[in-house]
Amino acid sequence: MHHFDRIDGALHAEGVPLEAIADAVGTPVYVYSTATLTRHYGLLREAVDAHRTSLGDALIAFAVKANSNLSVLATLARLGCGADTVSEGEIRRALAAGVPASRIIFSGVGKTDAELAFAIEAGVRQINVESAVELDRLIAVAAAKGAAPEIAIRVNPKIGAGGHAKITTGGATDKFGVPAEEAPALYARAAASPHVTPVGLACHIGSQITTLEPLEAAFRALREMTLALRADGLTVSRLDLGGGLGVPYHGQADLPSIADYVAMTARVLDGLEVEAAFEPGRLLAANAGVLLSRVIQVNARSDGRTFLVLDAGMNDLMRPALYDAFHDVVPVRERDGEAGAYDLVGPICESTDVFARDRRLAALEAGDLVAFMGAGAYGAVLSSEYNSRALVPEVLVDGERWAVVRGRPSYEEMWAREPKADWLG
Ligand SMILES: *Cc1c(COP(=O)(O)O)cnc(C)c1O
């Protein structure tokens, strides 16, 4: 569910007409809904709290990589949401947005020594260790500081899942996590070190997962491992269940609900007396954002193909080019009449700069506005200035009010980041 609805034929974000934002800020531009972010977090929080006996005082840590805009993070932070981070930059962003360090998890396959040291200094809640070699480095970094940070071992349960091979992380050949058969020994090794404090296990098997079965299988594997570790006298008090639950990009009605997902986790963790953590990214943010774009021209070719050339390109929304992702695209102003099928393309000089082929839309003309729905996660964060196009701006709406929360840089600002080599005069 989201808060982008038509009022008198014009698509709005909550109480604000998208046309007004496009006119004021220009296009392309991302627009986020506070109400949708709030609703999604609230549904998850409510479901998790209803299962307190199985899930403990569970942490919900938004995966910052899905949408790292400071105002988006601050919106979630004010609701009590934590942050799952994968770099020093993301930890800094979360802190700057008001997420307390005690609600920040530091994940990632390639944390540098400097990043590990920074996370220890910042006092993050937990560092998720993804390999034996990383554990050794963390122990050395922590020893030098006289610290003993709380860690979880991220297990790769060899259950890959997700909406596309390129967003699967839990498969046997994926780079993420410690192979399940090695994890117990690594956990014991961590417990034997005075420089780290193992508190639990973590997993994250993929993204845009649309059935509960693979998630349940992975959580069962964590449960079994928890029991085995405890039988060896080790303490396991937290289970980090990762993110990965899918959202209805195609308007699917048969996706697992948040309530079903959480009920499943409660069933699997029941009786373990662990504190659970959830790391949703897409689930909270995807439907809370749209990308607004204007039609530059309609190129009806004599071979029968009609290209709708948009002013948004793959540099603004990379998901279709990167992993064949589907976004519903709708005219911002309601139009009558069916056109033929359009190929929706951007202006970038790459053949992968195609958002959709043979998409049936109402007849559109140059200057018309369209909205890419479900663009709030893995949208703006993946944008670039390829083709020297200014970085796409972001707007946050809250009821009747709205604010530019990342501005479009001027060309002067872009060039200013590139000081000329002094010998070039
Ligand atoms: C990306 C990621 C997430 C969030 O994934 P979604 O599919 O957006 O929910 C959670 N945890 C980790 C470790 C991640 O890398």
Side-chain angles (χ1 to χ4, degrees):
M1 210 214 113
H2 57 69
H3 297 77
F4 298 93
D5 294 310
R6 262 181 220 292
I7 303 174
D8 296 331
L11 198 62
H12 283 57
E14 303 186 31
V16 180
L18 290 175
E19 284 162 345
I21 293 173
D23 287 345
V25 184
T27 51
V29 57
Y30 279 90
V31 181
Y32 307 127
S33 158
T34 299
T36 307
L37 290 167
T38 303
R39 178 185 153 83
H40 289 169
Y41 176 78
L43 285 175
L44 185 57
R45 184 79 258 172
E46 200 179 303
V48 166
D49 287 347
H51 291 283
R52 198 176 279 277
T53 46
S54 307
L55 302 175
D57 189 12
L59 176 74
I60 298 173
F62 176 62
V64 170
K65 73 176 190 285
N67 187 325
S68 53
N69 184 277
L70 286 171
S71 292
V72 168
L73 297 180
T75 298
L76 291 168
R78 287 170 69 168
L79 302 170
C81 190
D84 173 56
T85 60
V86 294
S87 68
E88 176 176 339
E90 286 193 355
I91 297 173
R92 287 183 182 275
R93 269 183 186 275
L95 291 169
V99 181
S102 60
R103 291 198 194 125
I104 296 178
I105 295 173
F106 188 25
S107 310
V109 274
K111 312 174 190 77
T112 65
D113 286 2
E115 287 180 309
L116 291 169
F118 175 79
I120 292 170
E121 277 158 34
V124 301
R125 170 194 184 88
Q126 174 181 311
I127 298 174
N128 287 359
V129 171
E130 298 221 13
S131 61
V133 64
E134 184 188 40
L135 178 65
D136 292 337
R137 284 196 301 111
L138 175 57
I139 287 174
V141 170
K145 293 193 166 298
E150 298 195 338
I151 66 162
I153 302 291
R154 175 168 174 184
V155 179
N156 180 330
K158 304 203 169 129
I159 300 164
H164 189 279
K166 290 183 179 167
I167 53 173
T168 297
T169 55
T173 58
D174 289 320
K175 66 178 178 179
F176 303 94
V178 180
E181 65 276 13
E182 293 173 24
L186 195 68
Y187 201 95
R189 184 140 76 75
S193 166
H195 302 301
V196 288
T197 311
V199 294
L201 300 168
C203 76
H204 171 72
I205 61 170
S207 199
Q208 187 55 16
I209 300 171
T210 51
T211 61
L212 293 182
E213 286 75 23
L215 291 162
E216 176 160 1
F219 302 160
R220 290 211 177 274
L222 289 189
R223 180 190 175 95
E224 293 311 309
M225 200 173 289
T226 299
L227 296 172
L229 290 170
R230 286 179 176 171
D232 287 343
L234 297 161
T235 301
V236 183
S237 57
R238 292 186 196 154
L239 288 185
D240 181 340
L241 306 177
L245 194 61
V247 301
Y249 288 111
H250 294 265
Q252 308 97 303
D254 57 345
L255 292 193
S257 69
I258 289 176
D260 289 347
Y261 166 71
V262 173
M264 178 275 285
T265 65
R267 229 173 22 247
V268 176
L269 269 49
D270 191 41
L272 280 185
E273 297 192 345
V274 290
E275 202 169 84
F278 295 85
E279 299 174 344
R282 194 184 305 279
L283 183 69
L284 299 190
N287 289 331
V290 301
L291 171 63
L292 286 183
S293 176
R294 238 180 243 290
V295 178
I296 295 177
Q297 61 194 7
V298 182
N299 176 13
R301 269 195 338 204
S302 58
D303 62 2
R305 285 221 162 262
T306 302
F307 291 94
L308 202 63
V309 186
L310 301 172
D311 69 358
M314 64 185 278
N315 69 304
D316 304 306
L317 176 63
M318 196 161 47
R319 298 187 65 252
L322 191 60
Y323 25 66
D324 305 317
F326 175 94
H327 285 275
D328 195 15
V329 177
V330 301
V332 167
R333 172 66 57 179
E334 200 156 46
R335 296 245 168 241
D336 301 326
E338 170 105 335
Y342 290 113
D343 284 358
L344 271 53
V345 303
I348 301 281
C349 300
E350 294 284 345
S351 333
T352 51
D353 189 26
V354 175
F355 295 114
R357 297 260 183 212
D358 295 321
R359 188 69 68 86
R360 300 203 79 84
L361 283 177
L364 288 168
E365 295 166 14
D368 283 350
L369 274 177
V370 296
F372 287 79
M373 307 305 291
Y378 307 105
V381 282
L382 280 164
S383 60
S384 75
E385 292 183 343
Y386 188 40
N387 282 201
S388 289
R389 292 158 49 80
L391 203 58
V392 61
E394 298 170 278
V395 162
L396 181 67
V397 171
D398 179 24
E400 307 279 317
R401 57 188 175 170
W402 62 275
V404 175
V405 293
R406 181 172 82 179
R408 191 191 314 276
S410 68
Y411 292 114
E412 290 70 27
E413 286 165 333
M414 289 165 66
W415 311 159
R417 296 197 312 260
E418 298 175 32
K420 236 188 222 163
D422 53 11
W423 63 87
L424 295 173

